[in-house]
Amino acid sequence: MPPQRICFLTAEISPFAKTGGLGDVAAALSRHLLQRGHDIRVFVPLHALSDLQGCEQRPVAALQDLSVRVGTNEYRYDVREARLPGSDLWVQLVDCPAVFDRPFIYSDAHDEHVRYLMLTRAALECCQRLDFAPDIVHCNDWHTAFAPLLLRTAYAWDTQIFGATRSVFTIHNIGYQGVFSASAAADLGPGVSIEALHQADLGHGRINPMRHGILYADAVTTVSPTYAQEIRTPEGGYGLDADLRARRDSVSGILNGVDYDDWNPAIDRYLPFHYDANDLTGKARNKAALLDLLRMNAAASVPLIGMVTRLTRQKGIDLLPDVLPKLLQEHDCRFVALGSGEAQYERFMHELQERFPGRVVFYSGYSEELAHFIEAAADIFLMPSLYEPCGLNQLYSLKYGTVPVVRRTGGLADSVQHFDPTTGQGTGIVFNDFDAGGLRWALQTALEWYGWPGVWHRLVQNGMQQDFSWDARIGEYEALYEAFGVSRK
Ligand code: ADP
Ligand code: GLC
């Protein structure tokens, strides 16, 4: 396809700043679009905790000492570029201390919407200053979801820059919509009249950024085909299903890919031992090393179950108390979890560790290194999600020969096939119902199959042969961008 000019907006990008999958996807997708020859500008906040160590950086001369208006306030900012490690992509970091010099990426502060409106407006105004007329403005999640509305209102006058621009809004997680009080409606200004906002929400005293992304974007995507169906239903739509149904053909699902430069056991920079599908000795060594590091005594034959996750309701942690203690009593297995999040879930994990010393280890916090290490060392990877737009860890697990145990939902359903020992087909263990019985059955099945070396070997090999690389996905985004080109003529 002809190269497109793309303005990409995201709250996080790995490895500079990441809380979850959005960071990984923003980095990989924009990098691959650049590799395909597109002209892409990626705007992301310079968060106080952005880690730019060892990265090439430079100021953008044309983007110094600027200000942008959000509501009645002016925000001063500069733009700096940093090169994404291992790529030619220079990321535009919006340096606005008034809103981003804070010790978090997200918060429930009263001005949370203002922070990301600042980013969104700054990005569009930078396009104007750089004389960069984007074919596509691609925004992600609620944080930058006002971009399509702003393009149709506040910046519509600038037909030279935005006259041919089409917008794509990608939903990574509909559970977070960024709702704020209607009393702050003036913060949408200047150039956005109150009539442009969703009237029923205003009547209920609120403004929902994600809803406006859905209503105003030229195309709405989400990160797996199954999730694209689920969010159209009352159970999966979290109040936005009717809006999504109304957009019909403009809503589609494109499964995320994996950046195999970062997530590949043959070259993973965090692993003490490398391995691939032809020789799994390194995997066994990683397991021994991790067990040793965590002071968990176990013979090599004892199965290790791993989990790396935000500790939230979405991730299915509610099912664990009814299943894990009993499983640990009845089977000789080990459990290692890395995660942080809601207090009650952290408490459960700590208690489990206390109850099963040397058999359960919970590492509370965030560690990129340990995340990779667990992926490589574990035999079984647990993702019993209540819902999962795509999920990346199950994709990583497949590549790392770590058999995923997942619930059939969203991207988990699209990427893991339940194994059938009679045919030898399938890549993991998939359970249907979100209840303790379903999870118990899945884990018991995993432990049973682990005990049959021939079956397990086949299951591991099947997973390792899967290809979820971005190369295969990027064409779907290009087709979407190109479809606009056709309709514009
Ligand atoms: P989500 O974006 O909903 O959290 P994904 O599976 O798409 O779920 O992506 C999660 C990403 O965040 C993965 O790269 C995973 O390794 C990482 N991650 C989650 N929790 C932690 C943690 N505590 N430490 C390190 N990495 C984490
Ligand atoms: C969200 C979703 C996750 C998805 C990620 C990247 O955080 O919860 O399922 O993989 O975004 O798209």
Side-chain angles (χ1 to χ4, degrees):
M1 76 177 297
Q4 305 278 306
R5 280 185 302 272
I6 303 160
C7 167
F8 193 89
L9 307 181
T10 175
E12 49 181 280
I13 191 161
S14 171
F16 301 154
K18 161 178 165 185
T19 63
L22 173 60
D24 286 357
V25 170
L29 176 54
S30 48
R31 222 158 92 171
H32 281 79
L33 286 168
L34 179 77
Q35 271 169 18
R36 295 278 300 168
H38 302 292
D39 188 2
I40 180 162
R41 305 294 142 94
V42 180
F43 290 92
V44 59
L46 180 64
H47 296 287
L49 43 71
S50 293
D51 181 2
L52 302 175
Q53 250 184 10
C55 291
E56 264 180 272
Q57 292 180 53
R58 62 188 186 201
V60 184
L63 303 178
Q64 296 301 300
D65 208 10
L66 305 177
S67 73
V68 63
R69 226 176 110 193
V70 179
T72 50
N73 290 325
E74 290 277 341
Y75 292 91
R76 300 187 59 75
Y77 71 103
D78 297 314
V79 177
R80 188 150 27 127
E81 291 183 322
R83 193 208 283 265
L84 213 63
S87 95
D88 292 329
L89 183 74
W90 288 87
V91 172
Q92 281 67 42
L93 301 156
V94 176
D95 184 7
C96 179
V99 289
F100 296 128
D101 189 12
R102 303 192 189 175
F104 46 72
I105 296 179
Y106 309 117
S107 73
D108 37 30
H110 69 285
D111 65 346
E112 188 70 352
H113 64 285
V114 171
R115 301 172 68 224
Y116 285 103
L117 271 166
M118 186 278 152
L119 172 73
T120 308
R121 280 185 170 268
L124 298 179
E125 294 186 14
C126 287
C127 288
Q128 293 174 311
R129 285 180 182 274
L130 294 170
D131 214 11
F132 180 81
D135 297 302
I136 304 291
V137 166
H138 192 151
C139 53
N140 293 279
D141 271 352
W142 75 261
H143 325 104
T144 52
F146 280 125
L149 167 66
L150 290 169
L151 283 168
R152 286 176 191 235
T153 53
Y155 298 94
W157 63 269
D158 194 350
T159 51
Q160 213 181 321
I161 296 296
F162 298 120
T165 303
R166 295 294 178 270
S167 56
V168 175
F169 174 48
T170 297
I171 298 172
H172 295 262
N173 194 334
I174 211 163
Y176 301 86
Q177 301 177 359
V179 174
F180 58 95
S181 166
S183 63
D187 291 339
L188 261 304
V192 180
S193 70
I194 202 114
E195 288 75 44
L197 300 179
H198 187 268
Q199 297 300 302
D201 273 352
L202 281 180
H204 289 107
R206 55 181 186 248
I207 297 173
N208 183 327
M210 186 167 269
R211 197 193 298 278
H212 290 85
I214 294 168
L215 294 175
Y216 282 99
D218 291 302
V220 178
T221 72
T222 186
V223 288
S224 70
T226 295
Y227 195 58
Q229 296 306 323
E230 289 170 352
I231 56 179
R232 288 180 168 97
T233 67
E235 306 78 57
Y238 283 69
L240 299 179
D241 46 295
D243 301 288
L244 286 157
R245 286 195 300 275
R247 293 298 315 267
R248 281 191 197 90
D249 299 343
S250 306
V251 182
S252 61
I254 301 177
L255 196 72
N256 286 332
V258 176
D259 204 325
Y260 288 129
D261 290 339
D262 286 335
W263 291 93
N264 177 353
I267 53 169
D268 190 321
R269 63 185 181 282
Y270 295 111
L271 296 187
F273 304 102
H274 290 146
Y275 63 94
D276 59 26
N278 296 321
D279 183 359
L280 290 166
T281 326
K283 182 165 177 65
R285 287 196 181 145
N286 284 315
K287 178 176 171 184
L290 183 68
L291 290 173
D292 199 40
L293 179 78
L294 302 178
R295 296 179 202 286
M296 297 168 102
N297 293 323
S301 58
V302 174
L304 175 64
I305 305 169
M307 211 171 174
V308 178
T309 186
R310 291 183 293 112
L311 292 170
T312 62
R313 185 168 168 267
Q314 175 199 345
K315 299 299 177 179
I317 317 296
D318 289 315
L319 296 183
L320 302 186
D322 277 346
V323 177
L324 281 185
K326 201 145 182 278
L327 192 89
L328 283 152
Q329 269 165 2
E330 291 171 358
H331 297 266
D332 191 12
C333 58
R334 302 287 180 271
F335 178 64
V336 55
L338 162 66
S340 61
E342 292 170 33
Q344 81 266 25
Y345 299 134
E346 295 216 9
R347 205 174 317 119
F348 162 73
M349 290 289 187
H350 281 301
E351 282 167 10
L352 195 68
Q353 174 175 256
E354 272 162 37
R355 191 165 156 198
F356 297 95
R359 298 185 57 207
V360 171
V361 169
F362 170 50
Y363 183 96
S364 158
Y366 189 91
S367 162
E368 198 68 32
E369 185 176 359
L370 193 51
H372 286 246
F373 205 177
I374 291 174
E375 279 290 4
D379 299 297
I380 296 163
F381 197 91
L382 184 56
M383 281 181 87
S385 305
L386 173 63
Y387 73 92
E388 196 61 75
C390 177
L392 296 174
N393 279 112
Q394 84 282 9
L395 304 179
Y396 304 153
S397 299
L398 291 168
K399 183 75 179 171
Y400 282 66
T402 306
V403 174
V405 170
V406 305
R407 192 171 91 81
R408 196 185 305 281
T409 181
L412 299 175
D414 291 339
S415 56
V416 182
Q417 289 82 46
H418 186 64
F419 183 72
D420 179 348
T422 54
T423 62
Q425 303 290 309
T427 54
I429 290 128
V430 184
F431 67 102
N432 291 327
D433 297 332
F434 188 76
D435 58 30
L439 176 59
R440 192 174 306 120
W441 169 82
L443 280 170
Q444 279 170 349
T445 303
L447 295 177
E448 188 185 330
W449 287 346
Y450 181 82
W452 303 344
V455 168
W456 197 254
H457 178 76
R458 182 69 188 263
L459 185 46
V460 166
Q461 289 293 326
N462 287 355
M464 293 183 89
Q465 305 311 326
Q466 301 292 304
D467 179 4
F468 288 99
S469 60
W470 272 103
D471 300 330
R473 304 283 154 225
I474 212 77
E476 297 185 47
Y477 280 100
E478 288 185 318
L480 181 77
Y481 296 163
E482 200 166 35
F484 292 142
V486 173
S487 64
R488 222 185 304 160
K489 281 180 196 135

